[in-house]
Amino acid sequence: MISKVHENVLEAVSGIADGSTVMIGGFGRAGQPVELIDALLAGSATALTVVSNNAGNGDAGLAALVGSGRVAKIVCSFPRQVDSHVFDAVYRAGRIELELVPQGNLAERIRAAGAGIGAFYTPTGFGTLVAEGKETRSIDGRDYVLEYPLKADVALISALRGDRWGNLVYRGTSRNFGPIMAAAAATTIAQVDEVVELGSLDPEAVVTPGLFVDRVVAVGERPWLRDGVFVGAEAAS
Amino acid sequence: MISKVHENVLEAVSGIADGSTVMIGGFGRAGQPVELIDALLAGSATALTVVSNNAGNGDAGLAALVGSGRVAKIVCSFPRQVDSHVFDAVYRAGRIELELVPQGNLAERIRAAGAGIGAFYTPTGFGTLVAEGKETRSIDGRDYVLEYPLKADVALISALRGDRWGNLVYRGTSRNFGPIMAAAAATTIAQVDEVVELGSLDPEAVVTPGLFVDRVVAVGERPWLRDGVFVGAEAAS
Amino acid sequence: MSAGLDRAALAARIAQDIAEGSVVNLGIGAPTLIADALPAGLEIILHTENGMLGMGPRPAAGRIDPDLLNAGKQPVTELPGASYFHHADSFGMMRGGHLDICVLGAFQVSEHGDLANWHTGAPDAIPAVGGAMDLAIGAKHVWVMTDLLTRDGASKLVTECTYPLTGVRCVSRVYTDRAVFDVTAGGLVVTELFGDTTLDDLRELAGLELRDASGRHENEEMRS
Amino acid sequence: MSAGLDRAALAARIAQDIAEGSVVNLGIGAPTLIADALPAGLEIILHTENGMLGMGPRPAAGRIDPDLLNAGKQPVTELPGASYFHHADSFGMMRGGHLDICVLGAFQVSEHGDLANWHTGAPDAIPAVGGAMDLAIGAKHVWVMTDLLTRDGASKLVTECTYPLTGVRCVSRVYTDRAVFDVTAGGLVVTELFGDTTLDDLRELAGLELRDASGRHENEEMRS
């Protein structure tokens, strides 16, 4: 019997080596795998390259990881936010390298890694700073920049429900980078609110097929949900 | 109020010009928009370029269109099948041009057109006949062929249900090329078993968001389904 | 001259130009005001690049769902007809030309439609581009919503952008507090003046040649 | 010498090498027989390139669902844990290296692992490639299932393919009715002999140098 289910988050993130490239899902706090990041923090892996849309919000999750000094480099589209004070401080202190990638190129580079595409021509960024030094080409009268895939050793993502084969469904805008990161990493670790019986996810509605997922761990329902249905924000962080 | 719903298939396919490139969904018979193809046949559009995985099965649908002599060129991966006698005859008579594309390159080229990618490097076909005369490149020790997007004037696709915004859900392996063709065509026309009320499709399970669809037409439930649920093959063709 | 339109009035003015059925992305900042100004009863589909179509207004207090955010990470709601998708699909919608309109803020717009809105170029700035470059090159119509002048009184409409670009020749229209400008092959065309702003005022403020199609002619040349 | 294994027996032999949890694509034709030979009780996930994981066996008569086909357009069923996806995603799974094993038929396989299985090169042939090229370069392990000889008695294992290629240096193992061959940097290695076939028989039939790792040694060199 296939079972990708792990008992707890510490077990789920075990084996992440120093120097790994780690993709971390989420757009702001939505879809950010906070419990997995906490488990990564509880371990010792360091000199990490993190690929994520943002560079952390507030003080928890990705912000805490960045603040820990164990992130050598971050590849992201939007590090500077109202509540990105942790990243801002580390960056200004010169203690983290930043590779800034327009959000759509970031998403497409991750997608290309998962889909076995060697490189692709994108119109985004042509003629701007982010294209400096890159190969360009005019195709059918439009200008493009050549971009390469972004792959990872590990992806940490968050979904609503998963089964023991690793099939996942998400909720709302927390889907964001999860499905493409799952496909782009050698090892994909998904935290879910709930592990459900095999066969109880609608095959037409599965967003991430199980072959992209290596480990699944239940972290319990978020306070604003009951059986996956929104029950108000009273208890939300 | 937005309504992309058309009353009948003749109205739905109106305005397809001679010389158009028409994408036609389906893998074999699954997902083939037979009623839309019949409506296209009832019109006069000719000198068409058809993009489809196959070149027709049996005598109906795409096979009938090919047999009508109004397809000047077909772009597909697998024209020759047990029941492709119509295409075989037209092809051997030299009355249709064939561009053979490996299935994954076909899918990715269609996807690239919908996603605004100018070109991409694919490993598929490298060192084979289908790569002859094409640009190649070695990236990170792997060999790739440069392939360009495939776009269309019109896409004809088949889905299970749709709403008046054009949101679509499919059924089983009839999904195949529908979602990517919908995004790659200037005008996408979807036949569905049933048009449902806006809001009754689960937003988490919508496969083709409505912005990719221009016209929706209900063709009635297929004989093997009742309310979208399989009821046996007794009445199926 | 009068100050022209305030932000809310400008948002309302822009909303008037959005036809029913349009798929629209409203950039972070001032453009999000347009959502509240859309004509009631018209169906306009809002896209947010973090993976949603059919985005609805800000939720009532106590109904803030942390899984429903817009691109500015503000809480939103879901309308009937909504759909969700992942980031690669969402940006494919932009890059592939499937959005009708996006409205962005700007630091500078050149008379050729170049846009600068992500980076001041200041050496100590932390750069953050987000989805701006994808929106700029992707939507069928890229509109800018901005004050004509910076706080320092400099024109945001310029001959050539001095700030780092977001996109090249991508803006089709600029809505400012003083006037509306169409970007054409022949340069900027003023299509509408607000308050008692005159074309001469604009020419002086911006230091640009401006063609007049405002329908308000005073001492100006005829509509071309 | 005896004819070796028949197709069903060869399918069963291949099935033994598929570990539980593997994601497997079985090509059109003979490889589909492997599905019926998979060990009962082991969870092996079948992928079909037309957009499904978790494909089950052929349905009972009267339960043929026209929306559930495999790549050969034969009716199949859905197992618990299945999922559906569109063609670009399905081929991304292959190209991206997410399938553990695919098993393909062949016209020819070279000793370097080149595969020819889509086109005889005959001038009147209608070419059809389908997903074979994507599978050939995509799966982690590309296995071939074939008779060693053509109907005309020619070896399908060759020094260089004379038919048009499907993929370059992509095959890792060849299961034939006479023997199993691993493709290595040093050429073909025989790992198993069927019936009373000997390594000398194979060398004569194929005209190739073959290393022996079959464990059956007779007059042959030692296992290397």
Side-chain angles (χ1 to χ4, degrees):
Chain A
M1 199 180 86
I2 299 168
S3 182
K4 299 177 178 176
V5 177
H6 286 242
E7 279 306 300
N8 59 66
V9 291
L10 290 176
E11 187 190 305
V13 303
S14 65
I16 299 180
D18 289 354
S20 294
T21 294
V22 181
M23 288 182 174
I24 298 183
F27 183 89
R29 291 188 190 180
Q32 196 178 129
V34 174
E35 285 82 354
L36 290 179
I37 298 169
D38 286 348
L40 180 60
L41 268 168
S44 62
T46 190
L48 302 172
T49 292
V50 167
V51 179
S52 192
N53 188 63
N54 303 110
N57 303 75
D59 298 287
L62 180 51
L65 185 65
V66 166
S68 74
R70 285 153 55 190
V71 180
K73 178 180 176 181
I74 190 157
V75 182
C76 74
S77 87
F78 210 76
R80 191 197 61 225
Q81 298 179 266
V82 197
D83 55 354
S84 64
H85 44 269
V86 173
F87 170 81
D88 298 358
V90 174
Y91 180 78
R92 290 192 195 285
R95 290 193 285 115
I96 194 166
E97 182 186 349
L98 169 66
E99 179 180 346
L100 190 78
V101 183
Q103 200 170 141
N105 287 356
L106 182 67
E108 191 68 11
R109 290 176 64 192
I110 295 168
R111 191 260 175 197
I117 298 299
F120 60 91
Y121 288 97
T122 173
T124 302
F126 179 86
T128 77
L129 282 181
V130 302
E132 279 189 359
K134 293 182 180 173
E135 202 174 325
T136 62
R137 184 183 293 219
S138 179
I139 300 169
D140 272 349
R142 194 173 194 194
D143 294 317
Y144 296 88
V145 183
L146 186 64
E147 292 281 359
Y148 292 88
L150 253 180
K151 60 176 194 280
D153 299 300
V154 178
L156 306 181
I157 64 173
S158 172
L160 178 65
R161 296 191 178 95
D163 65 26
R164 63 182 173 82
W165 281 13
N167 293 306
L168 302 178
V169 297
Y170 301 81
R171 186 169 177 278
T173 59
S174 73
R175 183 183 303 194
N176 59 70
F177 283 89
I180 51 175
M181 288 180 169
T187 300
T188 293
I189 307 166
Q191 67 169 61
V192 296
D193 285 18
E194 185 189 8
V195 172
V196 298
E197 282 298 306
L198 194 74
S200 62
L201 298 176
D202 177 2
E204 302 286 357
V206 166
V207 172
T208 296
L211 88 169
F212 293 128
V213 177
D214 299 282
R215 306 177 192 173
V216 176
V217 60
V219 296
E221 205 154 56
R222 285 162 289 168
W224 60 87
L225 297 177
R226 194 165 301 140
D227 297 326
V229 176
F230 182 60
V231 290
E234 294 80 14
S237 62
Chain B
M1 199 179 87
I2 299 167
S3 183
K4 300 179 178 175
V5 178
H6 286 244
E7 278 305 300
N8 60 64
V9 290
L10 290 177
E11 188 190 305
V13 304
S14 65
I16 299 181
D18 290 354
S20 294
T21 294
V22 182
M23 287 181 176
I24 299 183
F27 183 89
R29 292 189 189 178
Q32 195 175 129
V34 173
E35 285 81 355
L36 291 178
I37 298 169
D38 286 348
L40 180 61
L41 268 168
S44 63
T46 191
L48 302 172
T49 293
V50 167
V51 178
S52 192
N53 187 62
N54 303 109
N57 303 75
D59 298 286
L62 180 51
L65 186 65
V66 166
S68 75
R70 285 151 59 191
V71 180
K73 178 180 176 181
I74 189 156
V75 182
C76 73
S77 86
F78 210 75
R80 190 195 63 224
Q81 298 178 267
V82 196
D83 56 352
S84 64
H85 46 269
V86 173
F87 171 80
D88 297 357
V90 174
Y91 180 78
R92 291 192 194 284
R95 291 191 286 112
I96 194 166
E97 183 187 347
L98 169 64
E99 180 181 345
L100 190 78
V101 183
Q103 201 169 143
N105 286 356
L106 183 67
E108 190 68 10
R109 290 176 63 192
I110 295 168
R111 191 261 173 195
I117 297 299
F120 60 90
Y121 289 96
T122 172
T124 302
F126 178 85
T128 77
L129 284 180
V130 302
E132 279 189 0
K134 293 183 179 172
E135 202 175 322
T136 61
R137 185 183 293 219
S138 179
I139 300 168
D140 272 348
R142 195 174 191 194
D143 294 317
Y144 296 88
V145 183
L146 185 64
E147 292 282 357
Y148 291 87
L150 254 179
K151 62 177 190 277
D153 300 300
V154 178
L156 307 181
I157 64 172
S158 173
L160 178 66
R161 296 191 178 95
D163 65 26
R164 63 182 174 80
W165 280 14
N167 292 308
L168 303 177
V169 297
Y170 301 80
R171 185 169 177 277
T173 59
S174 73
R175 181 182 306 193
N176 56 72
F177 283 89
I180 52 175
M181 287 182 170
T187 300
T188 293
I189 307 168
Q191 65 170 61
V192 296
D193 285 17
E194 185 190 7
V195 172
V196 298
E197 283 297 308
L198 194 74
S200 63
L201 298 176
D202 177 1
E204 302 285 356
V206 166
V207 172
T208 296
L211 88 168
F212 293 128
V213 177
D214 299 282
R215 306 176 192 174
V216 176
V217 60
V219 296
E221 203 153 59
R222 286 162 288 169
W224 61 86
L225 297 178
R226 195 166 300 141
D227 298 324
V229 176
F230 181 61
V231 291
E234 294 78 16
S237 62
Chain C
M1 63 194 178
S2 81
L5 302 188
D6 65 16
R7 284 200 163 175
L10 185 57
R13 174 62 195 83
I14 296 171
Q16 286 173 20
D17 288 348
I18 300 176
E20 175 154 46
S22 298
V23 180
V24 181
N25 185 298
L26 301 173
I28 298 178
T32 58
L33 296 173
I34 298 166
D36 296 325
L38 293 172
L42 290 192
E43 289 187 339
I44 287 162
I45 300 173
L46 296 183
H47 173 264
T48 180
E49 55 259 48
N50 50 320
M52 182 183 193
L53 275 165
M55 183 174 68
R58 165 172 273 278
R63 298 295 300 167
I64 291 171
D65 183 338
D67 284 340
L68 280 182
L69 302 181
N70 67 12
K73 279 104 184 173
Q74 299 165 317
V76 294
T77 49
E78 169 192 299
L79 296 181
S83 55
Y84 298 102
F85 30 85
H86 62 58
H87 249 81
D89 281 350
S90 184
F91 281 78
M93 290 178 186
M94 296 183 199
R95 208 190 297 110
H98 303 284
L99 302 190
D100 296 302
I101 298 163
C102 78
V103 188
L104 297 170
F107 295 155
Q108 291 177 323
V109 180
S110 84
E111 58 183 340
H112 310 295
D114 296 341
L115 172 66
N117 81 344
W118 71 286
H119 194 1
T120 60
D124 65 336
I126 299 180
V129 64
M133 289 188 179
D134 301 277
L135 283 166
I137 60 85
K140 288 177 196 156
H141 303 280
V142 175
W143 295 350
V144 162
M145 173 183 182
T146 185
D147 289 334
L148 178 62
L149 303 181
T150 66
R151 287 182 191 176
D152 300 334
S155 171
K156 292 187 169 192
L157 288 172
V158 294
T159 311
E160 295 291 343
C161 296
T162 55
Y163 290 147
L165 293 187
T166 305
V168 177
R169 294 180 183 239
C170 56
V171 175
S172 52
R173 189 179 289 169
V174 184
Y175 292 89
T176 75
D177 52 336
R178 308 294 183 98
V180 181
F181 304 82
D182 272 359
V183 181
T184 73
L188 293 172
V189 176
V190 177
T191 60
E192 196 170 338
L193 293 159
F194 299 133
D196 55 10
T197 304
T198 68
L199 205 67
D200 281 339
D201 295 336
L202 295 176
R203 286 178 173 140
E204 190 177 327
L205 289 168
L208 293 171
E209 288 189 30
L210 298 170
R211 286 199 301 144
D212 183 22
S214 68
R216 198 209 286 173
H217 291 301
E218 305 132 324
N219 301 322
E220 313 294 337
E221 75 272 28
M222 294 300 292
R223 186 177 181 136
S224 59
Chain D
M1 64 193 178
S2 83
L5 301 189
D6 66 17
R7 283 198 163 177
L10 185 56
R13 173 62 195 82
I14 297 171
Q16 287 173 19
D17 288 348
I18 300 177
E20 175 153 47
S22 298
V23 180
V24 181
N25 185 299
L26 300 174
I28 298 178
T32 59
L33 296 173
I34 298 165
D36 297 325
L38 293 171
L42 290 194
E43 288 187 339
I44 288 161
I45 300 174
L46 296 184
H47 172 266
T48 181
E49 54 258 49
N50 50 318
M52 181 183 193
L53 275 165
M55 182 173 70
R58 165 172 275 275
R63 297 296 300 168
I64 291 171
D65 183 338
D67 284 342
L68 279 182
L69 302 181
N70 67 13
K73 280 99 182 176
Q74 298 165 319
V76 294
T77 49
E78 170 192 298
L79 297 180
S83 55
Y84 298 102
F85 31 84
H86 62 58
H87 249 80
D89 281 349
S90 184
F91 281 77
M93 289 177 187
M94 296 183 199
R95 210 190 295 109
H98 303 284
L99 303 191
D100 295 302
I101 298 164
C102 78
V103 188
L104 296 170
F107 296 154
Q108 292 177 323
V109 180
S110 83
E111 59 184 340
H112 310 295
D114 295 342
L115 173 66
N117 79 346
W118 70 287
H119 195 0
T120 60
D124 65 335
I126 299 180
V129 64
M133 288 185 180
D134 301 277
L135 282 167
I137 59 85
K140 288 178 199 156
H141 301 279
V142 176
W143 294 350
V144 163
M145 173 184 183
T146 185
D147 288 335
L148 177 63
L149 303 181
T150 67
R151 286 182 193 177
D152 300 333
S155 172
K156 292 186 167 190
L157 288 174
V158 294
T159 311
E160 294 291 343
C161 295
T162 55
Y163 290 147
L165 292 188
T166 305
V168 177
R169 294 179 184 238
C170 55
V171 176
S172 52
R173 189 179 291 169
V174 186
Y175 292 88
T176 75
D177 53 337
R178 309 293 183 99
V180 181
F181 303 81
D182 272 0
V183 181
T184 73
L188 294 173
V189 176
V190 177
T191 59
E192 195 168 338
L193 293 160
F194 300 133
D196 56 9
T197 303
T198 68
L199 204 67
D200 280 339
D201 296 335
L202 295 176
R203 285 178 174 144
E204 189 177 328
L205 289 167
L208 293 171
E209 286 189 34
L210 297 170
R211 284 201 300 145
D212 182 21
S214 67
R216 197 209 285 172
H217 291 303
E218 304 132 324
N219 300 322
E220 313 294 336
E221 75 270 29
M222 292 303 291
R223 186 175 183 140
S224 60

